[in-house]
Each structure stands twice: as structure tokens, then as C-alpha cells.
């Protein structure tokens, strides 16, 4: 049961990693298609969105095989600078009392 839940969280992390460059590729593709609203612009926009998808798949697969997607996402979302700030504020409050 634990392995199934662990696998599900890894798959969700995999999808989150894939979505990041894919959405960026789609956004850039829409910008290009906005300037060139013809067949060439549609092909270029589709190609850029597809490249974003491929980059996302390669990146997520690499992270899945090496450290794990959940570990990667937790390190990306961590904010050690803010943790240090919080600790220094706590130290100030202790010293003032």
C-alpha cells in the first residue's frame, strides 16, 4: 500500500515537472502565432509547444530516475533564505526579552 501511494506522488510530481516547460512552450507559441496568423505561424507555434513538451518529458524522466520528482519539487519549493530570516527574527525577540 505504501509503495502505491509513493508511486502516485511520484507520478503527480512527474506531471508537474512536465507541465512547466510545456506551458512555457505553449505561451511562446501563442505569442508567435499572434504575430504570424498564417500556416507558417501555426506550424512554428505547434513546434515550439512540442519542443516544450519534449523538454519537460526529458527533464521529468531524468529527475524521476535520479533523485525522484517529489524530492526535486521539495527542493525547488524550499525557501532557505526565508528560513534564516525567520530564525534571526526569533533570536531578536528572545534577546529583547
Amino acid at each position: 500500500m505504501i509503495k502505491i501511494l509513493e508511486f502516485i506522488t511520484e507520478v503527480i510530481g512527474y506531471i508537474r515537472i512536465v507541465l512547466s516547460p510545456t506551458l512555457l512552450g505553449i505561451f511562446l507559441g501563442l505569442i508567435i502565432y499572434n504575430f504570424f496568423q498564417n500556416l507558417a505561424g501555426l506550424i512554428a507555434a505547434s513546434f515550439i509547444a512540442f519542443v516544450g513538451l519534449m523538454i519537460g518529458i526529458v527533464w521529468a524522466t531524468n529527475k524521476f530516475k535520479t533523485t525522484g520528482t517529489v524530492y526535486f519539487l521539495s527542493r525547488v519549493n524550499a525557501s532557505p533564505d526565508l528560513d534564516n530570516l525567520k530564525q534571526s527574527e526569533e533570536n531578536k525577540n528572545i534577546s529583547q526579552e
Side-chain angles (χ1 to χ4, degrees):
M1 182 69 175
I2 300 293
K3 292 287 183 181
I4 293 171
L5 295 176
E6 190 175 315
F7 180 73
I8 290 171
T9 57
E10 288 292 328
V11 169
I12 291 171
Y14 187 92
I15 291 170
R16 287 180 61 191
I17 294 172
V18 169
L19 278 178
S20 178
T22 302
L23 292 176
L24 183 64
I26 290 171
F27 179 72
L28 292 175
L30 287 173
I31 290 173
I32 288 177
Y33 184 69
N34 189 31
F35 287 113
F36 305 104
Q37 294 183 358
N38 54 18
L39 184 60
L42 181 63
I43 291 172
S46 299
F47 178 74
I48 290 174
F50 182 73
V51 167
L53 175 66
M54 290 296 109
I55 289 172
I57 289 172
V58 168
W59 190 16
T61 303
N62 183 21
K63 292 302 172 187
F64 182 75
K65 288 182 178 179
T66 56
T67 60
T69 58
V70 175
Y71 177 78
F72 173 74
L73 289 172
S74 67
R75 299 305 298 163
V76 169
N77 291 334
S79 57
D81 296 336
L82 296 178
D83 293 340
N84 293 337
L85 180 65
K86 184 177 179 181
Q87 289 175 355
S88 66
E89 286 180 5
E90 289 174 0
N91 292 339
K92 285 181 183 178
N93 290 338
I94 291 171
S95 65
Q96 289 176 354
E97 293 176 355

